[in-house]
Structure formats: structure tokens, C-alpha cells
Amino acid sequence: MSNFFSKAEVTSSGRPVLLHNEVECHLLSAVDLEPEDHRHFSLLKSGLLILTTHRLIWLLSSSASTPTSASAIPLAAISHIFSSKKSLKSVFHSPRIRFQVLVSSDGRVFDPSSGSGSSSGSGSRSVVVTAVIRGKGDCDGFLVKFWDSWRARVWETTKISSSGSGSASGSGVATGIGGGLYSSDGSVRMVGVAGILRKEQEMWESTDKSLQDAFQDLNALMSKAKEMVMLAEKMRQKLLSGTSSQTSGTNDEDMGSKEEMQDWLLSVGIISPVTKESAGALYHQQLSRQLADFVRIPLERAGGMINLIDAYCLFNRARGTELISPDDMLQACSLWEKFDVPVMLRKFDSGVMVIQNKSHSDEEVFARIKSLVTKPEALRTGISPTDAAMTLGIAPAMAKEHLLTAESKGLLCRDISPDGFRFYINLFPEIDPCNMYFVKDYGICSTWIKAVSTTGIGERSSTFR
């Protein structure tokens, strides 16, 4: 990848890491970045071009692998965007978007965040870059949002004040009742049909001004809401980093209040959720990658596995008004098989679907279940899903699925009674079919007989399955 561009970080699922107050606006697939002067940097072929409020980000698009790095062009480095010209030649080739980029004296694109060059220095020059859209995407819509993001200049400040053009049209005419033929400014009052049309026009202008004021207030409200989301995200990151560096002397009350604060901040929202409007045909692909990034923290808190329904509720709550359907959620999870992401969708034999880390090991869970079920009390009375849930630190429904899986592996036996399911250690592998009454002095079977005999429990009628 060329050193001409700025480097952009990506997540483990291949999504770009956004900067402070940066929001994703639009994206196009199968885009080539071609300079007019090939001596300055190499071509970037067939990538995903993402437009944000701060940058143009180019990712190498591949359905089989996850990109580990990306290139970026800060919008602050773009000095001009050329208007698209419709001609007979444009009908026969791919749509193109041309823009002019400032280049510093060291041959790199101007980057205000790193101080590379200056936007108006004597040593800077410009290079025209052409984005060739070879995929199926809304090129015109991308260009419109490109213009809007470049003109908005969000990167210059974190607080954008919406200053509306409250200037009047200069043709305001007093419409009092007793003015006669002349208005208050001395002009002749319009009468007849012309007066009716003039009054109608003034009414429409007044309505339009009221709508503009209302939308300005709405934009100001949305801007404040976005600032609150950014503040909450910053606080959550600080709390999460502080939790890992805490000493063991922290009392339970402080830990409980911090965990409650983390849960509250976790549900505040995703700063830039993937939408059908911004992602277009790549909606489910980008939604899948964003979901993989989102479930990382809930999975850590849930022990490496979380119910799909719980993940759906958390994800929709974080997206705010940009809700997704259960079908979209399921389709996004099913795409993880094609991507190199650290999470996966799993379906138990009972039909329950969960999201788990790829590093999650059933053998570790079975080892903890075996240590629980071989305790003297458990050898006598067995364990319930609630007992396993307390040991594993997960929900009882998830613990029941682990117990049923352990039963299918031959580790446990199940006793069905009016009180519910009880699970016991499986003793049948230690019984010799040729000598069923022979009991070894060692092993789980011997331990079970000793535990039962100490309590004076006789035979118990149970149905083992």
C-alpha cells in the first residue's frame, strides 16, 4: 500500500476506527483510486470507499479476509471537488469522481492531525485523484454527500453552531387594518387580484421561515444529542480501562456502582450505526462487521457466550432510532462464516442460538461442570441448571444448554422428576458389563458409593437418560 496516503486503523472485524466526533455518511464498493500523475503513488484497486465527516477511507474489499489496515484522505486536504459532467463518453465507462488533494513537501497527502505539511504553505502542491466506481452504487448520492461533508468542515470544531440565515427578504409590507391605500413605509398598498397574490406569497414566506427555524432547532438538538453520546462513550472507555487496572482492595460497593455505570453507558448508543441509506447494497455486510465489534464487550462480561435474543436487544438499544429487524440480525450473524472475525453464531441441538467467541472452549466448560458434579453433595442430590449457572456465571437457560451438551457427550446423566431436571455424573462407563457387581476401590463410582453410604440413603428410583 502506498505511503502517499494517511494510515487508518481498522477493527478486528474490518470496520474503520472512527475519530472523535466522526460519523460515517456513505460508502461505495469496488472503487479504484487513480492519480493523474502515477509517479507520486501507486494505484489502489477494487476497494471499499467510505465517506465520513472527516475522511475518505479506502479498504481493500475481500469477502474471504478481513483487512488489517486502510488508507485515508482527510477532507481537510481536499482543495477542490470537480462537478460531474454528463457526456456521451460517460455512458460507456464507469462513473468517476474527481477531486484535488493537497500534497506536502515530503510527498505525502496533507494531514492536519499529524502536522504533515501545511494547507497553504509554499512547499505544498496539489494532485488530482480520480475515484472510479466499478461496482453498483449510488454515485450521484455519494457525490452529493461528499460535497456536503466537505463544506460542513466538521473536523475544525466539535461544536457546530447552526447559524440560520434570519435575514428577511426586504420586501416586508405592513398589513394592518386601517392603513388605507398606503402602507407604513409609504409604498402603495397592493389591492385587487395582485393584493391577494401578494398576501398569499407573504403567507408562504412566513410558513417557510417558520419551518426553517424549526429545523434549525431540531439540528441543534441532534448536535447536542451527538455530543452527549460522545461524552458517554468517553466515560465508558475510561471506566473500562480503569476496571482492568484496579487493585484487589476495591470494596464490593464501589465495584457494584462502577458495573452499574458501565451497563448504563453501554446502552447509550453507537456513534455511527450502519444504515441502509449509508451502506446501500453492502448493508448486511457492514452491519455484520459492526455487530462483531459491538458484541465484544458483552461477550467478555457474559463469559464468552451470549444468547442471540439478548444480543439483539442490546444492539437495537445501542442503535437508538436506527432499529434492525430480527431477520437482519440473523443474516448479519450468518455472514460471520465468510469473514475473519473473532466471533461466531452457534446453534444448540435444542434450537437455541447463541453468539460466542471463537476462542471459547466447551472442554473448559465441561471441566468446570465435572468439578461441580463430583462434589459430595452433588453426588448425592445432583445439580440443577441454576446450580450450574451460579458456578459458570451465566444465565440458567444457557447453563441448561451446556448441561444437555455435556449429557450428549456422555459426561452426565439426566433425572427427570416433578421438581425439574437434575443432572448427575455418568457412572456407566466405569461399570464392567461382564462383572456388573464388581466395584473398583478407585474412580468416580467408588466415590459415589462412599458419598451415598455416609448419608444412609438407600436405593433411589430414578430414571436416567
Side-chain angles (χ1 to χ4, degrees), residues 243-314:
T243 304
S244 59
S245 59
Q246 286 175 344
T247 60
S248 58
T250 307
N251 55 40
D252 296 338
E253 183 178 355
D254 292 341
M255 288 294 295
S257 61
K258 289 186 178 181
E259 289 181 359
E260 183 180 358
M261 180 66 71
Q262 289 176 12
D263 293 336
W264 178 73
L265 292 176
L266 184 63
S267 63
V268 168
I270 299 175
I271 300 175
S272 182
V274 174
T275 62
K276 291 183 179 180
E277 181 183 1
S278 63
L282 300 176
Y283 170 66
H284 288 102
Q285 182 186 120
Q286 294 301 312
L287 181 68
S288 176
R289 295 185 183 275
Q290 188 174 67
L291 178 60
D293 291 331
F294 173 80
V295 297
R296 180 177 57 86
I297 295 178
L299 281 176
E300 292 177 358
R301 299 174 61 85
M305 181 180 294
I306 186 173
N307 195 299
L308 182 61
I309 299 177
D310 296 339
Y312 173 74
C313 295
L314 289 173

Side-chain angles (χ1 to χ4, degrees), residues 1-168:
M1 193 169 292
S2 173
N3 294 326
F4 176 81
F5 297 102
S6 301
K7 295 293 183 181
E9 296 181 0
V10 295
T11 63
S12 58
S13 63
R15 290 278 301 166
V17 178
L18 300 181
L19 303 175
H20 177 69
N21 205 29
E22 185 178 16
V23 178
E24 187 176 320
C25 301
H26 208 286
L27 58 87
L28 292 173
S29 62
V31 178
D32 301 343
L33 290 183
E34 301 178 352
E36 290 191 350
D37 188 355
H38 295 275
R39 296 174 300 174
H40 292 96
F41 59 92
S42 58
L43 305 180
L44 299 180
K45 291 289 187 179
S46 186
L48 185 67
L49 186 62
I50 302 176
L51 170 67
T52 70
T53 54
H54 292 59
R55 298 175 292 174
L56 279 175
I57 304 175
W58 187 90
L59 292 169
L60 181 63
S61 60
S62 175
S63 59
S65 61
T66 299
T68 57
S69 62
S71 298
I73 300 177
L75 296 187
I78 298 177
S79 59
H80 182 69
I81 301 175
F82 297 93
S83 302
S84 59
K85 297 180 180 180
K86 301 294 183 180
S87 61
L88 183 61
K89 183 180 179 181
S90 63
V91 179
F92 299 99
H93 63 64
S94 302
R96 298 167 186 265
I97 299 176
R98 299 173 67 247
F99 52 92
Q100 194 168 342
V101 179
L102 294 176
V103 182
S104 59
S105 57
D106 58 355
R108 296 176 58 87
V109 64
F110 166 68
D111 190 352
S113 61
S114 62
S116 175
S118 61
S119 59
S120 60
S122 59
S124 62
R125 52 189 174 85
S126 61
V127 172
V128 176
V129 179
T130 302
V132 183
I133 296 90
R134 305 191 185 278
K136 296 180 180 180
D138 186 7
C139 180
D140 294 334
F142 185 90
L143 183 59
V144 169
K145 293 198 173 184
F146 190 15
W147 272 100
D148 294 340
S149 300
W150 182 59
R151 288 168 175 168
R153 308 186 73 83
V154 179
W155 62 86
E156 292 184 349
T157 176
T158 57
K159 295 183 179 180
I160 303 177
S161 58
S162 300
S163 57
S165 56
S167 57

Side-chain angles (χ1 to χ4, degrees), residues 307-338:
N307 195 299
L308 182 61
I309 299 177
D310 296 339
Y312 173 74
C313 295
L314 289 173
F315 192 53
N316 256 345
R317 185 171 63 176
R319 288 176 64 88
T321 58
E322 301 292 343
L323 303 180
I324 64 172
S325 66
D327 291 338
D328 290 338
M329 180 79 172
L330 189 58
Q331 189 169 350
C333 293
S334 62
L335 290 176
W336 286 339
E337 297 179 358
K338 301 180 181 180

Side-chain angles (χ1 to χ4, degrees), residues 184-456:
S184 59
D185 59 355
S187 59
V188 180
R189 186 183 300 276
M190 302 296 292
V191 295
V193 177
I196 296 175
L197 295 176
R198 179 63 175 272
K199 186 176 180 180
E200 191 76 14
Q201 181 181 357
E202 290 177 354
M203 184 181 67
W204 280 110
E205 289 178 354
S206 177
T207 304
D208 183 65
K209 185 177 183 300
S210 299
L211 287 175
Q212 289 182 1
D213 293 341
F215 278 112
Q216 287 172 10
D217 295 339
L218 181 61
N219 291 333
L221 179 62
M222 293 300 294
S223 177
K224 292 296 182 182
K226 185 169 62 175
E227 293 175 10
M228 292 302 297
V229 171
M230 294 294 300
L231 178 61
E233 178 70 15
K234 185 176 180 180
M235 292 174 61
R236 185 176 68 86
Q237 293 293 341
K238 184 176 294 185
L239 279 174
L240 291 176
S241 61
T243 304
S244 59
S245 59
Q246 286 175 344
T247 60
S248 58
T250 307
N251 55 40
D252 296 338
E253 183 178 355
D254 292 341
M255 288 294 295
S257 61
K258 289 186 178 181
E259 289 181 359
E260 183 180 358
M261 180 66 71
Q262 289 176 12
D263 293 336
W264 178 73
L265 292 176
L266 184 63
S267 63
V268 168
I270 299 175
I271 300 175
S272 182
V274 174
T275 62
K276 291 183 179 180
E277 181 183 1
S278 63
L282 300 176
Y283 170 66
H284 288 102
Q285 182 186 120
Q286 294 301 312
L287 181 68
S288 176
R289 295 185 183 275
Q290 188 174 67
L291 178 60
D293 291 331
F294 173 80
V295 297
R296 180 177 57 86
I297 295 178
L299 281 176
E300 292 177 358
R301 299 174 61 85
M305 181 180 294
I306 186 173
N307 195 299
L308 182 61
I309 299 177
D310 296 339
Y312 173 74
C313 295
L314 289 173
F315 192 53
N316 256 345
R317 185 171 63 176
R319 288 176 64 88
T321 58
E322 301 292 343
L323 303 180
I324 64 172
S325 66
D327 291 338
D328 290 338
M329 180 79 172
L330 189 58
Q331 189 169 350
C333 293
S334 62
L335 290 176
W336 286 339
E337 297 179 358
K338 301 180 181 180
F339 304 144
D340 186 17
V341 294
V343 294
M344 59 178 290
L345 179 66
R346 177 180 177 181
K347 186 175 182 179
F348 285 100
D349 295 336
S350 62
V352 176
M353 289 186 289
V354 298
I355 297 175
Q356 71 174 41
N357 288 321
K358 287 184 176 179
S359 58
H360 180 81
S361 174
D362 285 343
E363 300 302 327
E364 296 179 3
V365 177
F366 293 160
R368 297 177 65 182
I369 292 176
K370 185 176 181 180
S371 63
L372 172 65
V373 81
T374 51
K375 292 181 178 179
E377 183 66 25
L379 287 173
R380 292 191 295 267
T381 62
I383 62 172
S384 66
T386 304
D387 299 331
M390 295 177 63
T391 301
L392 300 176
I394 58 178
M398 296 296 302
K400 181 180 178 181
E401 296 298 328
H402 283 303
L403 292 174
L404 292 174
T405 305
E407 180 196 12
S408 65
K409 300 294 184 181
L411 178 63
L412 302 177
C413 288
R414 174 164 39 112
D415 179 19
I416 302 177
S417 67
D419 297 333
F421 287 0
R422 302 292 295 185
F423 291 87
Y424 297 82
I425 191 68
N426 186 12
L427 303 177
F428 293 105
E430 294 194 2
I431 298 177
D432 187 2
C434 300
N435 190 2
M436 298 182 62
Y437 298 98
F438 175 73
V439 179
K440 300 177 181 179
D441 296 335
Y442 57 90
I444 298 177
C445 187
S446 175
T447 307
W448 176 79
I449 293 177
K450 293 177 181 177
V452 172
S453 60
T454 55
T455 58

